[in-house]
Amino acid sequence: GNGSSFSTSPITVNGVCQTDLLVQVYNNGVMVGAVICKGNSFSIQVSLFAGANELTAIQYDDLEQASPVSNTITVNYTDTSFTAFGQQITLTSSYGRRAAPAGSTLNWPLQLSGGTGPYAFSIDWGDGSKPQLMSQALAGIATISHDYKKAGIYIVNISVTDVNGVKGFLQLIAVASGKVDSATATQTGDTPQALSGARILW
């Protein structure tokens, strides 16, 4: 709710939306997570900045057409570990959703800022595979990549930790296009999402 205060991050943000659209949540103008709307509502974990956080959401259709910006909810975050461990980490991307055909490599550029290198990444690609581990010496662009074996819509959870133990978090949506078999389902256990290999747009 507006005016809420928190001492831990990430927090869970809930809202209403149009079913099957992509919802991207922004914090102080920075994209901090993406999720697919289900049952006219969404729930997502997002990271907070120290101090005031202005949270908004935008919906996107399959053509990446954006809805109007939602109302703004302002919450406050008191980072109790900030002075003890160092500079806060921000992890974001220009893409809340990214797609590639199943069986080919999906590349995803991320923007990492704050904290102190080296950084350790753990990426859960949402398809049941073991979390991908990688490291990076300095802040800046970090590109992650994965090959999905089956077509579907997947929730990608990315966490990063710097040398002082300061953490950052980001949730995104990956789409592996192609023919979906009856055994393919989303990470959340919902019914399989039928994805056509091609779509004709007039």
Side-chain angles (χ1 to χ4, degrees):
N2 203 39
S4 299
S5 296
F6 299 92
S7 58
T8 59
S9 176
I11 64 169
T12 300
V13 174
N14 304 292
V16 295
C17 51
Q18 185 173 332
T19 296
D20 294 332
L21 294 187
L22 177 75
V23 180
Q24 291 188 184
V25 178
Y26 295 81
N27 184 359
N28 295 345
V30 176
M31 199 277 290
V32 290
V35 65
I36 297 294
C37 181
K38 295 294 181 185
N40 293 320
S41 65
F42 72 91
S43 180
I44 186 174
Q45 283 196 317
V46 301
S47 296
L48 298 177
F49 300 111
N53 294 258
E54 293 187 345
L55 302 176
T56 56
I58 301 176
Q59 299 178 110
Y60 293 88
D61 64 13
D62 289 343
L63 299 178
E64 298 300 326
Q65 297 174 116
S67 71
V69 180
S70 72
N71 59 314
T72 300
I73 298 296
T74 301
V75 300
N76 295 294
Y77 174 45
T78 303
D79 186 357
T80 56
S81 65
F82 182 80
T83 55
F85 296 106
Q87 186 180 7
Q88 189 173 2
I89 290 176
T90 300
L91 185 62
T92 187
S93 175
S94 298
Y95 308 96
R97 172 174 55 196
R98 203 154 167 84
S104 63
T105 301
L106 172 63
N107 295 305
W108 212 317
L110 308 175
Q111 179 65 48
L112 173 65
S113 59
T116 305
Y119 302 88
F121 287 81
S122 177
I123 304 109
D124 181 352
W125 288 97
D127 58 353
S129 60
K130 291 182 179 180
Q132 177 185 352
L133 305 177
M134 59 178 267
S135 62
Q136 180 161 311
L138 302 172
I141 299 296
T143 300
I144 59 175
S145 60
H146 186 68
D147 292 346
Y148 284 106
K149 296 180 180 179
K150 295 182 178 180
I153 300 174
Y154 300 92
I155 299 173
V156 182
N157 288 301
I158 307 160
S159 61
V160 59
T161 307
D162 77 352
V163 70
N164 295 314
V166 180
K167 296 181 182 295
F169 176 82
L170 182 63
Q171 178 179 303
L172 303 167
I173 298 296
V175 178
S177 59
K179 184 178 180 181
V180 179
D181 62 35
S182 60
T184 303
T186 62
Q187 180 193 39
T188 57
D190 295 333
T191 55
Q193 302 296 310
L195 300 177
S196 60
R199 177 170 295 173
I200 300 173
L201 305 175
W202 294 93

